[in-house]
Amino acid sequence: RTQVALNLARCLEKTGRPGEALEAYEMACRVNPEHPLVLRGYAQALMRRGDFAQADERWNGLRRLFPDDLEITWEQGNSLALAGRHREALSCYQQVLAGKGALFLRARAEYGRALAFHSLGDRARSLQAREAAQRILAALLQEDPGQEEARRWLAFLREPSEIPSPIPVGDGRGGK
């Protein structure tokens, strides 16, 4: 039943029915309240709806269940940043950077820091974090030139911009 409800929620989201998708995620949570894909999808759907308080509860639950999953920590940082809780978001991004995450995740955490610092009015640290993200992505592409998503992010970050673009809310991997 969990997989059916999860598939239904994803289908409803893809067909532009976010309210019904949330109901399907809620149903899936009642069936299996610790299923990581259900909780992650539900938290992302709540973020897209702008319900950051409930999304944060879901991310906290996921982090309790999977304390070593740095993707979850990064996504919670995004949720906090979108809610305007930039100092808390910075804490999440720092945890990602302190962990042993993949280079692409580290670059996304640095970019999250750039956005948070920018929102807090710290232009110098925002630029430093953006440059750090660029260095990480360049190193990743040096190791594996076939990383197309990393190549797109690097091209985006190299474009001159005074105000950073917001963090994408999507699949947890930087996509939509």
Side-chain angles (χ1 to χ4, degrees):
R1 288 182 49 190
T2 302
Q3 192 61 48
V4 170
L6 180 60
N7 290 344
L8 175 62
R10 288 175 172 167
C11 181
L12 290 165
E13 281 186 316
K14 286 183 191 243
T15 58
R17 296 161 61 187
E20 293 172 77
L22 277 173
E23 290 175 16
Y25 279 120
E26 288 168 359
M27 179 175 52
C29 282
R30 283 192 297 275
V31 173
N32 190 345
E34 295 185 354
H35 191 287
L37 296 177
V38 169
L39 291 173
R40 179 172 280 184
Y42 191 24
Q44 290 169 343
L46 289 165
M47 285 171 60
R48 281 189 288 279
R49 188 174 79 178
D51 191 342
F52 301 114
Q54 277 195 49
D56 193 44
E57 288 179 31
R58 298 292 171 226
W59 293 124
N60 282 329
L62 274 161
R63 287 183 70 189
R64 279 190 298 277
L65 292 170
F66 306 98
D68 297 327
D69 188 328
L70 296 175
E71 284 276 344
I72 292 168
T73 304
W74 174 75
E75 290 218 53
Q76 185 172 32
N78 293 349
S79 182
L80 291 165
L82 290 166
R85 295 165 57 189
H86 303 292
R87 293 192 192 290
E88 292 170 82
L90 281 168
S91 176
C92 288
Y93 299 138
Q94 279 302 126
Q95 289 172 42
V96 171
L97 292 169
K100 301 230 185 283
L103 287 177
F104 190 53
L105 178 59
R106 296 175 67 75
R108 290 182 292 157
E110 284 289 6
Y111 186 64
R113 290 178 69 239
L115 295 176
F117 282 131
H118 179 81
S119 295
L120 291 169
D122 191 337
R123 185 175 185 276
R125 290 172 79 183
S126 177
L127 291 173
Q128 288 172 350
R130 186 182 179 112
E131 290 167 359
Q134 290 177 28
R135 285 192 303 275
I136 293 168
L137 290 166
L140 173 60
L141 289 168
Q142 196 73 10
E143 286 180 17
D144 184 0
Q147 292 278 337
E148 289 305 315
E149 190 172 7
R151 187 174 310 287
R152 284 190 299 274
W153 270 67
L154 183 57
F156 163 74
L157 288 174
R158 285 185 171 159
E159 292 176 13
S161 172
E162 184 65 27
I163 301 173
S165 297
I167 298 168
V169 178
D171 62 8
R173 290 164 186 77
K176 290 195 178 205

